[in-house]
Structure formats: C-alpha cells, structure tokens
Amino acid sequence: MASTLPPPIRLITRQTGGYRIHTFISAYTGNNIADATHIIEGPTSLVLIDGQFLKDYARQFREYADEVTEQTGKPIDRLYLTHRHPDHWFGLGTAFKDVRIYALPETIDFLKEHGQEQICDHNSKLGEQAPSEVVIPQYSVIIPPNDPQILEQSIDGLRYVFTMVKETEIDFHMIIGLPDLQVCIVQDLIYSGNHLYLTAPEDMANWVRFLETMLLSDYDLFLAGHGQPADKIEVARNVEYLLAAQVAIADGLRGDYFKQYMLRRYPERLCPAIFDIYLPRLFDGASSY
Ligand SMILES: [Zn+2]
C-alpha cells in the first residue's frame, strides 16, 4: 500500500575511492522532524545507520537499501543504532528484524528495560505508524577505556572509529568516524538546518565541547540525525544555537516564552515540532522517554 506520508528525500552524500554514502531523510512537515538515516556502501557490502521512526519511512529506507543491493549485488552486512531515542529505533521492528544490529551496551540495556514502555507511550500519537515490536540489538559496541576512548575497526576495507559521547543530547550517544572519507556520523549531535532538541544546560555545555572538537577535526562532512548532511559552517551554527539557548535559560526564559524567543531568533530553521517534544522534559520534569 502506498504511503500517505510526504515522500522522503534520498541523496548520494559522498562518493570516493570505491565507497558511496547514501542519506535518506523523512518529511520536514507536520509533526515530522526530518529523521536522517544512512547507508555506507563499500566494495562488497552495506552498513546502515539507524532505523527511522515511522513504519512507512522504515519500510522505504529498507526498500532503498534493497534497491542498492539489487543494483550492485552487495548485501546488508549490519546496522548501527547510535542511541536510544525512539525516532532512531522504532523502525527496526518494522523493517530490519533480519539484520545484525549493533549498539552501545547502555543503549541495549535501555531498550531491554524500557523499549516496550516507550512504544506504549507513543501508540496513541502514532497510530498505525507505531512499531509492533521492540527489536533488541544483538551485538554490543564496547569502547575500551583507553585514552582516547575509541574503538577502531575495519569493515569492508574502511576504517570505522567508534566513540561514546556522554551527557549531551542524550546520556549515551555513539559517534562513528570514517577518517578515510573525512566523514563523521554524528547523528543527533547536529540538527542540520533544524531546531535542536535541547537538554539541561550542563548537557548543552558538554554538547558544545563535543562540537568544538568536530570543528577542529579533519572531518569535513557530518552526517546528521535530522536534516541534510552538514559542513563545518552548520556545526558552528549548532554551537551558536546551543550557546544562545543557555543564555536564554540563564536569563529566566521558560516554556512557551523560550520557544517564541528561539523561533524569532532562528526563523530560518525547520521542524519546530521538536519544541513540543522537549519543552515538557526540559522545564516541567516530564519523563525523558
Ligand atoms: Zn533524533
């Protein structure tokens, strides 16, 4: 059955040295927040990043990957789930049950404990777009406690550098660097062209520190979890947004006053639906999932 949702955007984000990166972005309109998921196409297989939110987009993202497989003969090798927010894993049960899924142990534990509860919380809002089941990632990405705390692996001839970033947009977020392509998969640590999902001021301060390391890195393309792939100018704009939000909160702005201030200050940013998701959590102590 054809989807009644607006069509997604599909694009080839980078193509170099026998590798191609594909990005799939769900709608920007209505309650949608331009969820972006990605395919790293190597010489022999595909690696997927995150699983989309709504059922129809999860299916369409899977169809996109299957099309690439059909055209190139390269199967899906695995999928990385970067963090536990529902807009990144709800689609897994719909379209990626048969795929090997990897995540941080903290993300896996959370889904085991609260995944079903998260689905119940969203059922009434999402209706038929809600997932019917929780899929728990079967493989842990364990970052050794070295200095720096990274795990480097070669997949299909490409270096993948895994880092865990703590207490920013979320408590635990996996970042995947692809230094050979100068690409960093940062997902929700950049909201590209969109309003950001804001967290407590101390977490926003950690978030800014992380983005500053990205600004000084050799990466030149950042795959965002919402919106289009970003350059360093957009990373710097995210830093500025986070700093402005911290000042506004320190000045006493709360709730709808805060939202109106940010909308006036950033009229060019898209997906204002995000305010209604995080404002009750940031200012009114609502549950964080
Ligand atoms: Zn997200």
Side-chain angles (χ1 to χ4, degrees):
M1 200 176 71
S3 175
T4 51
L5 297 171
I9 295 170
R10 308 179 341 166
L11 66 148
I12 301 216
T13 304
R14 173 144 292 177
Q15 178 156 263
T16 182
Y19 294 89
R20 276 203 298 184
I21 297 178
H22 308 252
T23 291
F24 175 105
I25 310 171
S26 75
Y28 283 75
T29 47
N31 289 326
N32 297 294
I33 45 176
D35 301 293
T37 48
H38 317 278
I39 303 169
I40 318 301
E41 180 190 340
T44 68
S45 64
L46 313 180
V47 173
L48 275 46
I49 309 295
D50 288 343
Q52 283 291 324
F53 182 37
L54 304 181
K55 261 188 181 171
D56 282 0
Y57 289 126
R59 276 195 208 104
Q60 291 174 55
F61 179 47
R62 177 61 190 259
E63 282 163 17
Y64 185 20
D66 288 346
E67 259 174 52
V68 178
T69 299
E70 226 166 84
Q71 286 161 7
T72 64
K74 302 169 187 174
I76 299 174
D77 175 62
R78 62 184 72 190
L79 182 150
Y80 285 103
L81 172 64
T82 57
H83 65 292
R84 63 170 171 79
H85 277 157
D87 49 319
H88 298 258
W89 71 263
F90 267 23
L92 297 178
T94 303
F96 301 98
K97 268 191 287 192
D98 59 327
V99 172
R100 295 194 296 170
I101 303 173
Y102 289 71
L104 293 171
E106 290 81 358
T107 303
I108 296 174
D109 289 346
F110 179 89
L111 293 190
K112 280 184 188 161
E113 223 173 299
H114 301 292
Q116 196 54 52
E117 202 183 325
Q118 251 185 335
I119 291 179
C120 293
D121 279 356
H122 284 76
N123 260 340
S124 59
K125 211 167 66 184
L126 299 184
E128 60 184 22
Q129 294 295 332
S132 36
E133 62 183 294
V134 181
V135 169
I136 306 292
Q138 312 92 326
Y139 300 91
S140 295
V141 177
I142 298 173
I143 317 271
N146 302 334
D147 185 23
Q149 290 193 12
I150 58 165
L151 172 70
E152 189 172 317
Q153 278 180 349
S154 175
I155 300 169
D156 213 5
L158 190 66
R159 280 185 298 157
Y160 281 66
V161 181
F162 300 91
T163 314
M164 177 161 67
V165 178
K166 289 188 207 170
E167 311 298 344
T168 54
E169 195 253 6
I170 178 108
D171 41 9
F172 301 99
H173 197 306
M174 178 163 63
I175 303 299
I176 308 172
L178 307 174
D180 304 322
L181 307 180
Q182 286 176 280
V183 170
C184 194
I185 304 165
V186 295
Q187 291 304 86
D188 279 10
L189 294 180
I190 293 178
Y191 280 70
S192 181
N194 300 346
H195 289 283
L196 280 65
Y197 174 100
L198 297 178
T199 46
E202 60 274 21
D203 295 338
M204 286 196 265
N206 294 334
W207 190 348
V208 166
R209 277 192 283 277
F210 168 76
L211 292 179
E212 284 167 348
T213 66
M214 290 294 104
L215 288 172
L216 295 174
S217 75
D218 291 335
Y219 297 118
D220 64 11
L221 184 68
F222 302 87
L223 304 188
H226 299 269
Q228 296 161 20
D231 59 12
K232 277 194 182 171
I233 293 169
E234 180 60 19
V235 179
R237 287 194 182 118
N238 272 240
V239 170
E240 195 278 328
Y241 190 103
L242 288 164
L243 294 175
Q246 288 174 75
V247 170
I249 292 170
D251 286 347
L253 284 183
R254 297 287 182 273
D256 200 50
Y257 292 105
F258 177 80
K259 173 180 172 179
Q260 296 309 327
Y261 169 78
M262 295 303 276
L263 285 171
R264 271 200 311 277
R265 185 173 172 122
Y266 301 100
E268 74 287 3
R269 289 205 166 256
L270 304 173
C271 303
I274 200 92
F275 285 102
D276 299 329
I277 302 173
Y278 80 76
L279 284 177
R281 294 171 187 165
L282 183 55
F283 295 121
D284 301 326
S287 150
S288 69
Y289 49 87

